[in-house]
Amino acid sequence: MIHRIHEMVWGPWLLVLFLGTGIFFTVKSGFFQIRKFPFWWKHTIGSIQEDEGEEKGEVTKFQTACTALAATIGTGNIAGVATALTAGGPGAIFWMWVSAGIGMMTGYAETMLGIRYRYRDRNGAWICGPMVYLERGLKLPGLGMLYSFLCIMVSLGMGSMVQSNSIAETLEFSFGIPPIPIGILLTGTVLLVVLGGIARIAFVSERLIPISAGAYMLFSMVVIMSCYDKIPYIFQCIFQDAFRPVSVFSGAAGYQISKSLQYGVSRGVFSNEAGLGSMAVLHGAAEDTTPEQQGMWAMFEVFFDTILICTMTAFVILCMTDGDAAGAGYDGAALTAFCFSKRLGILGEYVVSGAMLIFAFATIIAWYYLGRQAAIYLAESLKERRSLYILQRILRGKVYTLLYLGAVFLGCLAKLETVWEFSDIWNGLMALPNIIAIIFLMREVTVPGNAEKWELKCTRR
């Protein structure tokens, strides 16, 4: 049943919607993500040192970027890429690149709108995200509430169950540790972090993500460069499988292309989350910033997550399996660990296990904040409706935290395929109201023009 629902949600219509929205904003911006690459790079990763001067206790732009990367760099980069390769073939990687390239502008649009419409709640904390610009920009509070509900469901699926599932699978494959002890230890550690709120989540993310991502990329390059002679062949496999030019009119080839497109785009969205609106929520806590600058940080995150890290994982797998990932006999994180171990031995398994543990843990704590923000917004929206008073109290209380921790634990015990498809379903549904909003608010999405004028504008703000 879950598989049939997944096929309906992730049918051609949703893929066209994702790709079409990204293409629209790419053209509207004059291919800003490509044409102005040095400019937005300078104002994102090139401006890290400027964050050091901000007041102590404030959530900095770099911290929000690390938190957003924590939500995006997770199992999608290790297990998700492996699943896409085994199910959709090498061509899925090409469609990952496509979805990331145009998804950079989708991420820019949603994050910019989120910062523009954000507001502080009664406790002084920022409330930001698609539910806010759905309510205040489009004047559709009902859609804002729907998005909040779907965001909560995604947090319980992709944000917690998928991540903990991949952690348990990897540690069981590498070290033979049973899932139940892993679930207990992981759930307790998550609890210790999330009790500190966004400040502790941002603090932990800022320290985990740069080091772990750097180490994973280093070991990936070691494996790839050890068989550099295979790289031209791997590129050939990717492009041939993506389009199948020799037998383009064959029904089997058309089916394979559709599978590559479906799994490439869905896993690309799963990994970088462009179009889901989650980045708009995570960037909302940044102080002393502008909508344009946070939008460019969102672009950087999509680029770093998919174009760099997902590509490295894909090349490691394809190089070690000679372009036939499905024939290796493994799937998910186990396939990635197997491929690393073929070149690095037991160290390769440790690399994948360590990266999976850190990436997935960072994603879990970041998505707790996402779901919690959605729960708070939904509770505030329901306060005028006395018939739903109990639901409001549940959302504002500790019930969401208990549900989230329960999902983390259960994810360690669930079947991989079921968990992934369940999460994909909620991802697709969550994207719909967000994409509707950014399309109807497209006139408010602008990119920095002349660099000197934009910098002056930032200073005046």
Side-chain angles (χ1 to χ4, degrees):
M1 182 187 68
I2 291 175
H3 180 71
R4 287 197 295 270
I5 295 173
H6 177 272
E7 292 296 316
M8 288 189 293
V9 171
W10 280 99
W13 66 275
L14 187 58
L15 302 181
V16 170
L17 188 60
F18 267 110
L19 295 174
T21 303
I23 292 171
F24 173 80
F25 282 105
T26 296
V27 175
K28 181 178 184 293
S29 67
F31 294 84
F32 178 78
Q33 72 271 46
I34 301 172
R35 187 171 49 86
K36 292 288 187 179
F37 181 89
F39 176 72
W40 61 258
W41 187 273
K42 171 188 173 184
H43 288 281
T44 54
I45 201 69
S47 65
I48 292 177
Q49 292 182 346
E50 297 175 9
D51 266 4
E52 295 176 358
E54 297 185 8
E55 295 182 17
K56 189 176 181 180
E58 288 186 350
V59 178
T60 67
K61 294 184 286 292
F62 181 63
Q63 284 182 323
T64 58
C66 286
T67 306
L69 281 172
T72 56
I73 298 178
T75 58
N77 301 85
I78 298 176
V81 172
T83 303
L85 288 172
T86 55
I93 301 306
F94 173 81
W95 295 109
M96 270 195 179
W97 293 338
V98 171
S99 69
I102 63 178
M104 289 169 71
M105 288 311 303
T106 308
Y108 176 93
E110 63 192 24
T111 303
M112 181 185 179
L113 290 171
I115 298 296
R116 176 164 290 176
Y117 283 100
R118 67 178 178 173
Y119 65 92
R120 294 189 185 273
D121 64 10
R122 59 188 179 185
N123 299 318
W126 286 112
I127 300 296
C128 182
M131 55 273 194
V132 177
Y133 52 76
L134 278 164
E135 176 191 351
R136 301 193 169 199
L138 283 187
K139 310 299 181 185
L140 294 174
L143 271 183
M145 294 170 65
L146 174 62
Y147 180 88
S148 298
F149 169 76
L150 293 172
C151 184
I152 293 171
M153 298 307 298
V154 171
S155 73
L156 297 176
M158 182 184 75
S160 56
M161 291 185 71
V162 166
Q163 313 304 322
S164 60
N165 181 277
S166 293
I167 288 175
E169 182 193 50
T170 305
L171 292 180
E172 186 175 19
F173 174 81
S174 299
F175 306 107
I177 304 175
I180 293 179
I182 296 171
I184 294 172
L185 181 60
L186 179 61
T187 305
T189 308
V190 170
L191 176 62
L192 292 176
V193 176
V194 301
L195 287 178
I198 182 58
R200 188 178 297 172
I201 291 172
F203 176 84
V204 173
S205 299
E206 184 184 23
R207 280 147 182 80
L208 286 180
I209 293 301
I211 297 174
S212 58
Y216 182 77
M217 292 170 68
L218 174 63
F219 283 105
S220 296
M221 286 304 300
V222 169
V223 175
I224 294 169
M225 296 311 297
S226 69
C227 48
Y228 66 90
D229 55 312
K230 294 183 180 180
I231 294 178
Y233 170 71
I234 297 305
F235 272 110
Q236 181 182 348
C237 288
I238 291 172
F239 287 104
Q240 282 186 347
D241 196 66
F243 297 102
R244 297 279 182 175
V246 177
S247 54
V248 70
F249 296 106
S250 166
Y255 177 68
Q256 181 62 33
I257 291 170
S258 68
K259 284 179 66 180
S260 297
L261 176 62
Q262 178 186 15
Y263 280 94
V265 175
S266 65
R267 289 296 179 261
V269 170
F270 184 95
S271 180
N272 60 54
E273 299 180 14
L276 300 187
S278 55
M279 287 186 286
V281 181
L282 291 166
H283 281 276
E287 302 287 352
D288 190 26
T289 188
T290 66
E292 294 87 354
Q293 186 164 34
Q294 290 307 117
M296 289 189 290
W297 269 113
M299 289 172 53
F300 166 77
E301 289 146 19
V302 176
F303 174 83
F304 186 82
D305 173 86
T306 306
I307 302 296
L308 292 183
I309 296 186
C310 284
T311 299
M312 288 187 174
T313 302
F315 270 69
V316 167
I317 294 172
L318 292 174
C319 284
M320 292 296 100
T321 59
D322 293 324
D324 183 19
Y330 295 100
D331 193 10
L335 173 59
T336 309
F338 167 75
C339 292
F340 269 93
S341 65
K342 283 189 70 175
R343 184 64 67 193
L344 302 177
I346 192 65
L347 176 62
E349 293 186 17
Y350 293 158
V351 167
V352 174
S353 298
M356 179 66 74
L357 178 64
I358 296 174
F359 289 168
F361 177 77
T363 301
I364 290 171
I365 60 176
W367 263 96
Y368 169 81
Y369 174 74
L370 270 162
R372 185 65 182 148
Q373 286 286 92
I376 291 173
Y377 175 86
L378 192 55
E380 288 295 317
S381 301
L382 294 173
K383 67 181 180 181
E384 302 296 333
R385 307 186 184 190
R386 294 186 178 182
S387 60
L388 299 175
Y389 176 78
I390 296 177
L391 178 59
Q392 180 206 349
R393 298 301 300 173
I394 289 174
L395 291 170
R396 291 203 64 89
K398 302 296 183 184
V399 175
Y400 171 76
T401 302
L402 293 175
L403 286 174
Y404 193 84
L405 295 174
V408 171
F409 180 78
L410 291 176
C412 294
L413 313 179
K415 291 183 178 180
L416 177 66
E417 182 180 357
T418 303
V419 172
W420 275 99
E421 292 199 333
F422 174 78
S423 301
D424 273 348
I425 290 169
W426 290 115
N427 282 357
L429 295 176
M430 177 182 171
L432 287 176
N434 177 59
I435 291 177
I436 290 171
I438 62 177
I439 288 176
F440 280 94
L441 295 173
M442 60 184 175
R443 292 185 178 180
E444 300 185 32
V445 179
T446 57
V447 297
N450 182 275
E452 290 75 17
K453 290 182 179 179
W454 184 76
E455 288 175 348
L456 179 61
K457 185 180 179 182
C458 285
T459 303
R460 286 178 177 171
R461 283 186 180 177

